[in-house]
Amino acid sequence: MTYCVGLLLNEGMVLLSDTRTNAGLDNIATYRKMFIFEEPGERVIAILTAGSLSVTQTTIARLREAIDEPDADAGHSIMLAPTMLKVAEIIGNTLASVRQDIDEKMTAAKVSTSASMIVAGQRAGGAMRMFLIYPEGNFIEATDDTPFLQIGEHKYGKPILDRVVKPATSISEAQKAVLLSMDSTLRSNLSVGMPLDLAVIEKDACRVTARRRIEAGDPQFKEMSEAWSVALRESFTQITI
């Protein structure tokens, strides 16, 4: 399991993922789940992944292979696609194809091949867009009404996002929101774990403008987590029924 979240704001996009994979209590490992493709100033594409590691890794590998093809074209390479919508279509089709290929091999073993992705980015001259791609390859898009998307173990981190995140939320406040959302998930589900990967893509920059790896024991994250716990306890005691 995993937890990834993306926010689409007026000022830009904020993305956060954990790195834990779990194939049983005695088989826990760390794998990156955030992948960045960029040509600074021309386009930037971020992909967050959740679900079957074999499916997501193979999908990312095929996307990279399509980019590196000598005869790469706009119908298959996410770095040549004319719009972010086309980028989402390419990634969705690739994910569905990989999942079908692996599913045929794993059916007898009754192993899940489900996987989903958040795709966020912008190309020069286009708008920032963010999509949640389902295992079947279809997708939905973040909107002003719902300016954030989540994949993986999302239920614990959703309440704070519902309450505080709006399109007008600042980049700095958005980073705080996703980190507290992740903190709630870390406390409630052992299948989500550090290190964390945080990325910021400011509007019209067409590149990642800030990136941070947050390791276990990070003093800034620990201080924020403790302050949030204190604030929740104090607020709880002040509420009367």
Side-chain angles (χ1 to χ4, degrees), residues 8 73 161 167 219 239:
L8 178 64
D73 59 66
L161 302 179
I239 294 174

Side-chain angles (χ1 to χ4, degrees), residues 23-46:
L25 293 177
D26 59 348
N27 189 15
I28 296 174
T30 297
Y31 284 93
R32 183 177 296 276
K33 301 170 188 175
M34 179 184 295
F35 303 89
I36 305 294
F37 301 82
E38 64 180 340
E39 184 178 336
E42 200 282 323
R43 76 177 60 203
V44 59
I45 300 165

Side-chain angles (χ1 to χ4, degrees), residues 1-111:
M1 189 53 73
T2 187
Y3 176 47
C4 299
V5 56
L7 274 55
L8 178 64
L9 312 166
N10 296 340
E11 293 184 5
M13 295 176 284
V14 177
L15 308 162
L16 181 67
S17 69
D18 84 315
T19 56
R20 177 166 293 180
T21 61
N22 183 0
L25 293 177
D26 59 348
N27 189 15
I28 296 174
T30 297
Y31 284 93
R32 183 177 296 276
K33 301 170 188 175
M34 179 184 295
F35 303 89
I36 305 294
F37 301 82
E38 64 180 340
E39 184 178 336
E42 200 282 323
R43 76 177 60 203
V44 59
I45 300 165
I47 304 176
L48 309 182
T49 66
S52 169
L53 188 62
S54 63
V55 171
T56 57
Q57 285 191 338
T58 303
T59 299
I60 295 296
R62 289 191 184 179
L63 291 171
R64 285 179 170 152
E65 189 175 69
I67 292 171
D68 294 335
E69 284 288 337
D71 57 348
D73 59 66
H76 299 88
S77 169
I78 61 174
M79 296 304 288
L80 297 177
T83 65
M84 281 303 301
L85 178 62
K86 184 60 180 178
V87 168
E89 290 177 356
I90 292 171
I91 295 173
N93 290 339
T94 305
L95 175 61
S97 175
V98 169
R99 182 171 178 260
Q100 184 175 16
D101 290 347
I102 294 178
D103 191 52
E104 292 176 355
K105 301 173 184 177
M106 302 301 293
T107 298
K110 296 182 179 180
V111 175

Side-chain angles (χ1 to χ4, degrees), residues 174-212:
Q175 291 180 72
K176 180 167 61 176
V178 296
L179 288 171
L180 290 175
S181 176
M182 180 65 76
D183 178 65
S184 298
T185 306
L186 291 170
R187 285 176 174 269
S188 300
N189 195 304
L190 293 176
S191 68
V192 178
M194 299 178 84
L196 310 176
D197 286 316
L198 175 69
V200 174
I201 302 172
E202 295 180 13
K203 183 179 180 180
D204 296 331
C206 290
R207 65 181 179 86
V208 174
T209 50
R211 195 168 183 178
R212 178 184 172 199

Side-chain angles (χ1 to χ4, degrees), residues 157-177:
K158 189 173 185 291
I160 185 174
L161 302 179
D162 284 332
R163 288 182 167 90
V164 306
V165 175
K166 307 296 180 186
T169 301
S170 68
I171 290 290
S172 60
E173 290 292 291
Q175 291 180 72
K176 180 167 61 176

Side-chain angles (χ1 to χ4, degrees), residues 6 8 84-85 87-89 92 95 116-121 129-151 154 158:
L8 178 64
M84 281 303 301
L85 178 62
V87 168
E89 290 177 356
L95 175 61
S116 56
M117 297 181 168
I118 292 175
V119 177
R129 300 181 76 172
M130 183 179 294
F131 304 89
L132 190 161
I133 301 182
Y134 293 105
E136 295 77 15
N138 57 318
F139 50 83
I140 61 172
E141 185 171 3
T143 65
D144 286 346
D145 292 327
T146 307
F148 64 88
L149 297 173
Q150 301 169 283
I151 53 175
H154 63 270
K158 189 173 185 291

